[in-house]
């Protein structure tokens, strides 16, 4: 199945957070509704493998939202490299980020997915 991708920058109490959206692309049915899935990132943010994972889920008939976890520390669109420095950086961020900020990010990502025009309001998470 073809997949359409876009992103939105949502405002949080600590600055903008980029959320990527992936959805089935049915040209004949542009207003089709699908269940949604929120995908939470690992310490490297939204990397190539995570983009592929989200596309795979969308190709099975879901609208997917995936937010950047460390938007307080990185500019939008930056993936942390899979190397020693990147691993140290991501591990440092996961400790420095406040727990309330994780909760706010999750709530905003879920709300954005539920409000997505092609989401039917039924969602899950991975």
């Amino acid at each position: 199945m073809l997949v359409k991708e876009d992103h939105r920058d949502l405002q949080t109490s600590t600055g903008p957070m980029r959320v990527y959206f992936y959805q089935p692309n049915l040209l004949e049915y542009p207003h089709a509704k699908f269940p949604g899935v929120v995908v939470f990132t690992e310490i490297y943010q939204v990397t190539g493998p995570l983009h592929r994972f989200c596309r795979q889920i969308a190709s099975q008939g879901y609208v997917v939202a995936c937010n950047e976890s460390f938007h307080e520390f990185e500019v939008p669109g930056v993936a942390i490299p899979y190397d020693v420095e990147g691993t140290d950086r991501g591990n440092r961020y996961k400790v420095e980020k406040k727990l309330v900020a994780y909760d706010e990010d999750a709530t905003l990502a879920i709300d954005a997915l539920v409000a997505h025009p092609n989401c039917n309001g039924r969602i899950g998470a991975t």
Side-chain angles (χ1 to χ4, degrees), residues 19-126:
V19 180
Y20 295 90
F21 293 94
Y22 311 81
Q23 69 184 73
N25 188 15
L26 302 176
L27 299 175
E28 313 81 35
Y29 302 102
H31 304 294
K33 303 276 188 187
F34 303 94
V37 175
V38 179
V39 174
F40 294 103
T41 65
E42 56 188 358
I43 64 168
Y44 303 100
Q45 300 237 85
V46 186
T47 59
L50 200 52
H51 281 294
R52 287 191 296 277
F53 179 61
C54 292
R55 287 181 196 115
Q56 225 176 18
I57 295 169
S59 73
Q60 298 298 316
Y62 295 89
V63 179
V64 179
C66 184
N67 64 295
E68 292 182 334
S69 296
F70 300 132
H71 56 88
E72 299 91 341
F73 310 106
E74 299 284 343
V75 297
V78 170
I80 297 171
Y82 287 115
D83 59 17
V84 172
E85 187 275 330
T87 301
D88 290 344
R89 195 163 90 206
N91 280 322
R92 186 175 65 249
Y93 292 164
K94 76 178 181 186
V95 173
E96 292 175 4
K97 184 173 176 122
K98 297 190 184 306
L99 183 59
V100 68
Y102 282 110
D103 293 342
E104 179 187 23
D105 292 355
T107 299
L108 288 170
I110 291 165
D111 289 348
L113 179 57
V114 169
H116 190 282
N118 293 100
C119 183
N120 67 11
R122 298 179 64 185
I123 64 165
T126 183

